[in-house]
Structure formats: structure tokens, C-alpha cells
Amino acid sequence: MDVCIGNDKGYEVINCLNNLGVRSNYVMMSGYDEFSYACEAIRCGALDYLLKPVEKKKLLEVIRKIIVEKLHGTIPEEDEKKNCDPVLDMDYDAMSPLIHKIVMMVRVEYGGHISLKSIADKFRMNSTYLGQIFIKETGMKFSEYLMCYRLYVARERILNSDEKIAVIAADVGYSNMNYFYQHFHGYYHTTPSDMRMRK
């Protein structure tokens, strides 16, 4: 929903729809970096506030997050091969609903500040207990899974794009390049640059 729709405001339209009983998930978009608009968007229940021009990648991330967290859905797979988790080597359909939801959240939010605690808070569960369930069903700690998934995404982008390594590292959740190189080398036994050169 755009903040400005003719002479009307997008958040006024959302409030009107809410009063009519129309329940939906809204994302506000605006060309104005106005704090008051962002506040109004939050008050009317908008789930995010994006500034124009909206990047396709950012919009898709927001939509995927809503699908997984708010609609309790899953992200459609592009092919059958991708129905298997690349880290656990386990078919998504074979996972328990809880674990499937967790790995779907990682797929959406791996580049941000996602953690076992943040997920447990959303599920209103104890993080220690949730961590024990994750280990029992997957055979690895959540922190290890998150690291491996980030490195998997980084590897795919290193092999299939000419993006700078620093940009890729930041996008997959690494603010410290030393940690990224350390983890990448420890997992793949090579450096990102050497992997790209050998592709």
C-alpha cells in the first residue's frame, strides 16, 4: 500500500479496511522518509515500511517473511531437488512441522540477526528447550545450522556471480570479514577467492 494514494493516505485506507472487517497483511511503501508516516503505518498494523525506489530483493524478503511467520506457509520450491535441505540433506516433507518452520525462517532471515532466542520468542518457547529439540531432530546445534546455511548461500553466490566477496559476506550475515573467511575455510577447506578461480 502506497502512503499517498491521490489525496488520501494509505494508512487511512488500511484503517477503513480494518473497520470493515477486511483482514490482510499490509506493507507500506513511500517516497518520503518521514518518521510520522512510519509511525502511522505501524499504528494501522502494517508489517513493514519500505522506501522508494523499492528493491526487488528487499520486497521479496519481506513477502517471504510474511508468508512464513504470519501466514504459517512455506516458500514454493523451484524444482524437486530444492525440496531437500542443503545443509541437513533431509527432505522438507520428512521434517516435523516445528523444525520445518525453523529452517524456513532461516531461509528467509539468514542475512539478518536471527538467533535461536529470537525464534523461540516468536514461538513463545524456552530457547534452551527449543535448542534441544533442534539437536534431537537434526543432529546439529541451531547455531551450527545457521552458519552452514549462510556459508552454503555464500558458496552459491561465489560460484554463480561476480559479486565482491565482501558484499556476499555481508548479505549472508557476516559483519566481520575475518570470521567469514575463517568459517568459510574451515567448512570448505578453501578460500572464497580460490573457490571462484577454480569454478
Side-chain angles (χ1 to χ4, degrees), residues 147 151 154 157-158 163-186 190-193 196:
M147 181 194 74
L151 294 176
R157 289 176 60 175
I158 287 169
E163 295 176 281
K164 293 182 178 180
I165 304 298
V167 172
I168 294 175
D171 283 352
V172 301
Y174 280 89
S175 58
N176 186 309
M177 283 298 294
N178 289 331
Y179 282 140
F180 175 71
Y181 278 107
Q182 180 182 341
H183 290 174
F184 195 93
H185 190 277
T190 187
T191 66
S193 299
R196 175 171 278 172

Side-chain angles (χ1 to χ4, degrees), residues 47-187:
L47 301 177
D48 214 321
Y49 186 87
L50 303 177
L51 289 177
K52 295 179 181 179
V54 178
E55 295 182 4
K56 179 180 178 180
K57 178 181 176 182
K58 177 62 179 177
L59 180 59
L60 286 175
E61 287 178 356
V62 171
I63 292 173
R64 286 169 179 155
K65 186 174 182 179
I66 292 173
I67 290 172
V68 172
E69 294 187 10
K70 298 296 181 181
L71 303 180
H72 307 292
T74 58
I75 302 170
E77 305 297 336
E78 295 178 7
D79 52 51
E80 292 183 2
K81 182 179 178 181
K82 291 189 177 181
N83 197 47
C84 181
D85 187 271
V87 175
L88 300 174
D89 194 24
M90 181 188 302
D91 194 285
Y92 291 122
D93 295 333
M95 298 176 181
S96 69
L98 178 60
I99 298 302
H100 184 247
K101 185 86 177 280
I102 292 174
V103 298
M104 286 295 106
M105 291 175 71
V106 171
R107 286 188 60 180
V108 172
E109 302 181 50
Y110 65 87
H113 299 291
I114 186 172
S115 66
L116 186 64
K117 185 180 185 308
S118 67
I119 293 176
D121 288 344
K122 290 174 182 177
F123 292 158
R124 296 182 180 178
M125 295 178 65
N126 179 278
S127 59
T128 300
Y129 177 63
L130 184 59
Q132 291 172 346
I133 294 176
F134 193 86
I135 292 175
K136 182 178 180 181
E137 294 195 31
T138 66
M140 65 192 309
K141 294 180 180 179
F142 174 80
S143 58
E144 294 173 338
Y145 175 81
L146 176 61
M147 181 194 74
C148 292
Y149 189 80
R150 284 171 166 169
L151 294 176
Y152 162 77
V153 175
R155 175 182 178 275
E156 292 298 300
R157 289 176 60 175
I158 287 169
L159 293 176
N160 297 295
S161 78
D162 294 321
E163 295 176 281
K164 293 182 178 180
I165 304 298
V167 172
I168 294 175
D171 283 352
V172 301
Y174 280 89
S175 58
N176 186 309
M177 283 298 294
N178 289 331
Y179 282 140
F180 175 71
Y181 278 107
Q182 180 182 341
H183 290 174
F184 195 93
H185 190 277
Y187 193 64

Side-chain angles (χ1 to χ4, degrees), residues 35-52:
F35 181 69
S36 60
Y37 287 160
C39 288
E40 289 297 336
I42 293 172
R43 287 195 189 98
C44 71
L47 301 177
D48 214 321
Y49 186 87
L50 303 177
L51 289 177
K52 295 179 181 179

Side-chain angles (χ1 to χ4, degrees), residues 1 13-26 44-45:
M1 183 76 71
V13 175
I14 293 177
N15 284 328
C16 181
L17 292 172
N18 288 336
N19 292 334
L20 290 173
V22 178
R23 294 292 175 258
S24 189
N25 296 284
Y26 300 100
C44 71

